Amino acid sequence: MCSHIEMNYGLKSFVQRVKLAPFLKDEVGATAVEYGLLAALISVVIIVSVTAVGTQIVKTFTTVKNALAGN
């Protein structure tokens, strides 16, 4: 038969597991954070791409303007 100390430890461990079980199974918060990080990464990629393309477009239009002006 189990001693009194072993029974109390087992019960305490069981209660701790039962209280934490819903939090360990809940992944809604983690999923929201992952989606937030993904959205931030996509935003950074879009900003960098638009900036790079925008710079190239300005150079192209400047070249066309100078060619039409006869410079």
Side-chain angles (χ1 to χ4, degrees):
M1 191 154 183
C2 297
S3 71
H4 179 67
I5 295 172
E6 289 174 341
M7 287 178 61
N8 283 340
Y9 178 76
L11 182 60
K12 183 178 179 182
S13 177
F14 175 76
V15 170
Q16 288 175 343
R17 283 190 304 236
V18 169
K19 287 182 181 178
L20 292 177
F23 294 109
L24 295 175
K25 292 179 183 176
D26 184 19
E27 296 183 359
V28 173
T31 303
V33 170
E34 290 167 356
Y35 280 130
L37 290 172
L38 188 60
L41 179 63
I42 290 170
S43 299
V44 168
V45 169
I46 290 171
I47 290 169
V48 169
S49 299
V50 167
T51 302
V53 169
T55 303
Q56 187 60 40
I57 289 173
V58 168
K59 288 180 185 177
T60 302
F61 278 112
T62 302
T63 303
V64 170
K65 180 185 82 164
N66 290 337
L68 290 175
N71 292 337

